[in-house]
Amino acid sequence: QITDTWYWVIASCVHLQSCIFGILGLSIILKPKKKIIDYFLIILVMAVATGLSENFAIWLILLLTFLIIFIRVKARKQPGKLISLTLLKALFIGLITACISFNINISGSGLKTRMNIIKEETPVTGAALKETVSLPQSFDFSQLPKIIICNKNLAFLLLAASWFFFGRIMKRENLIQMRSSETAIMMKYMKAALPLTIFSIAVVLIPLFYVFKGAGPLRAWTPASLVIAAFFCMFFLITGLQNISGIIENGFRLLLLAGFAIVIAYFIRQANFATSYSKSFDDRCIYFEDLKASGNTKTIDVKGLPDSGMLPNGDITEDEHMHLNEDFRDILKLHFKVKSSDNYFKRYTGHTIVVY
């Protein structure tokens, strides 16, 4: 079975859940005071986080390893300063759990099945559809800017400006007391964090290029989006703590408004896609139900569904034996075969799609 693995579902939420559980696990690990239950939570949360997304698991394992090494090296350079044994214990528990969970995931038969499908079908793989950028022969890194620099992906940069105002509020309300020298040190740390951020993004993306011989489905870029968003949110927060002019502050206000305007406009556009797709899908179901009621037994070839926008497209293919078609038949309990020679996948990619 393709689902015979530690945890795997065909959905973008897999990668998003991995990030959520990973952040939760790190927050528990970094708690100053821990109870016994916290260590059980670390095991549970880290097992789930590293079992959901393979590339995020690699990043999380490297991060935990780096933190352990950093704390040990810092302790050797400052022998008089006590290190937190509780923190080290939590880091080791999290790292061991992550390694075990990751090993279960990559050694599962379900992952091997997926890999075999990818090898057979590359460059047109998976539910990739419109999301996948295929590089069939080599790692054509020239396509990366095309993926990264687009309105949807840059929206986070505009929304991150809200963190600038968090910093301004903290400074005005004296919620945080920082001298100019301390904020300068924080900016220095941010400059040092830039190459680490780039390295983290590479750690997330390199496995995709290795497996897919290309950028892979963009849903698998979710961990990279998390790293980028975290960097820019911290950058804007620290910038907000600085002594800056009113002109710059007004510029950030405009940036924030522009971000919300872009997101609102994007979702209005997506609402049109969703409305058209939903109506077409409902009409198809009604049509098939009418045919079932009339006792039809012939194979029916229907017009493909329109673009579904952000929604997963539930179209069927031109192959009546394809599991997408068979699943659709089972759901409606149809007694005849169904197919769509003009299906969405073929119109968009020019190929029959294989969902892995």
Side-chain angles (χ1 to χ4, degrees):
Q1 296 293 326
I2 197 170
T3 53
D4 182 16
T5 184
W6 181 242
Y7 185 98
W8 186 76
V9 179
I10 305 173
S12 299
C13 65
V14 171
H15 302 281
L16 185 59
Q17 287 175 4
S18 183
C19 294
I20 292 171
F21 278 94
I23 294 171
L24 177 60
L26 289 173
S27 68
I28 299 173
I29 288 173
L30 296 175
K31 279 178 61 176
K33 295 181 181 180
K34 300 179 185 65
K35 300 177 182 178
I36 296 295
I37 192 172
D38 289 324
Y39 294 106
F40 286 105
L41 286 174
I42 291 171
I43 294 173
L44 175 64
V45 170
M46 283 298 176
V48 175
T50 50
L52 292 171
S53 171
E54 293 88 352
N55 55 349
F56 182 74
I58 295 172
W59 177 83
L60 197 56
I61 289 170
L62 289 176
L63 176 62
L64 294 172
T65 304
F66 170 78
L67 290 174
I68 292 172
I69 294 173
F70 177 79
I71 292 173
R72 296 302 295 268
V73 170
K74 190 174 181 180
R76 288 183 181 179
K77 289 184 177 180
Q78 300 174 344
K81 189 173 181 180
L82 295 175
I83 62 172
S84 174
L85 295 178
T86 304
L87 176 59
L88 272 178
K89 187 195 302 182
L91 286 168
F92 272 113
I93 290 174
L95 178 61
I96 293 171
T97 304
C99 290
I100 293 174
S101 176
F102 179 64
N103 184 62
I104 292 173
N105 191 8
I106 62 175
S107 60
S109 59
L111 184 63
K112 293 176 183 176
T113 303
R114 289 167 56 202
M115 292 297 293
N116 289 334
I117 294 174
I118 290 170
K119 289 177 182 178
E120 292 172 3
E121 300 297 333
T122 302
V124 183
T125 58
L129 322 162
K130 57 189 176 184
E131 296 183 349
T132 298
V133 177
S134 300
L135 309 177
Q137 301 300 325
S138 61
F139 297 164
D140 185 2
F141 290 101
S142 64
Q143 292 202 27
L144 286 179
K146 178 182 176 182
I147 302 168
I148 297 172
I149 304 176
C150 65
N151 292 336
K152 187 169 63 174
N153 291 336
L154 288 179
F156 81 90
L157 184 61
L158 301 173
L159 292 177
S162 60
W163 285 74
F164 168 83
F165 292 101
F166 293 159
R168 301 308 292 165
I169 292 171
M170 292 170 69
K171 186 176 179 64
R172 288 187 188 125
E173 301 296 328
N174 293 320
L175 298 177
I176 183 170
Q177 299 287 340
M178 293 186 67
R179 296 186 294 272
S180 57
S181 59
E182 292 175 329
T183 53
I185 292 172
M186 290 185 70
M187 289 300 290
K188 185 178 179 181
Y189 277 122
M190 286 304 299
K191 291 178 182 178
L194 180 58
L196 289 176
T197 302
I198 295 172
F199 174 75
S200 297
I201 295 169
V203 168
V204 172
L205 298 184
I206 286 175
L208 297 178
F209 279 92
Y210 176 77
V211 173
F212 292 96
K213 299 298 184 291
L218 291 187
R219 63 178 180 271
W221 288 49
T222 305
S225 299
L226 170 67
V227 174
I228 296 171
F231 174 82
F232 278 100
C233 287
M234 286 304 300
F235 174 79
F236 282 122
L237 176 65
I238 294 172
T239 303
L241 293 170
Q242 310 294 317
N243 294 318
I244 59 175
S245 66
I247 296 176
I248 296 177
E249 188 167 343
N250 289 332
F252 272 98
R253 286 194 177 95
L254 291 174
L255 188 64
L256 186 60
L257 289 173
F260 281 113
I262 288 174
V263 171
I264 291 171
Y266 182 76
F267 276 99
I268 290 175
R269 183 169 178 265
Q270 289 300 316
N272 294 329
F273 280 123
T275 301
S276 174
Y277 170 77
S278 177
K279 184 179 184 306
S280 298
F281 188 85
D282 290 344
D283 289 344
R284 172 183 287 183
C285 291
I286 293 171
Y287 174 64
F288 282 141
E289 289 287 358
D290 290 342
L291 288 173
K292 181 174 72 172
S294 66
N296 177 74
T297 57
K298 297 180 180 179
T299 300
I300 302 298
D301 190 347
V302 293
K303 182 182 178 181
L305 295 175
D307 191 349
S308 55
M310 292 176 66
L311 299 175
N313 199 294
D315 206 353
I316 55 179
T317 71
E318 66 267 34
D319 182 0
E320 59 194 59
H321 301 292
M322 182 78 170
H323 66 86
L324 291 175
N325 302 43
E326 293 293 336
D327 290 344
F328 186 79
R329 281 185 61 222
D330 292 340
I331 291 171
L332 294 183
K333 295 181 173 58
L334 303 178
H335 304 296
F336 51 88
K337 301 286 186 180
V338 295
K339 65 179 182 177
S340 175
S341 300
D342 180 39
N343 64 78
Y344 164 78
F345 312 122
K346 190 174 182 180
R347 288 200 316 274
Y348 200 93
T349 66
H351 300 271
T352 300
I353 208 68
V354 178
V355 178
Y356 60 87

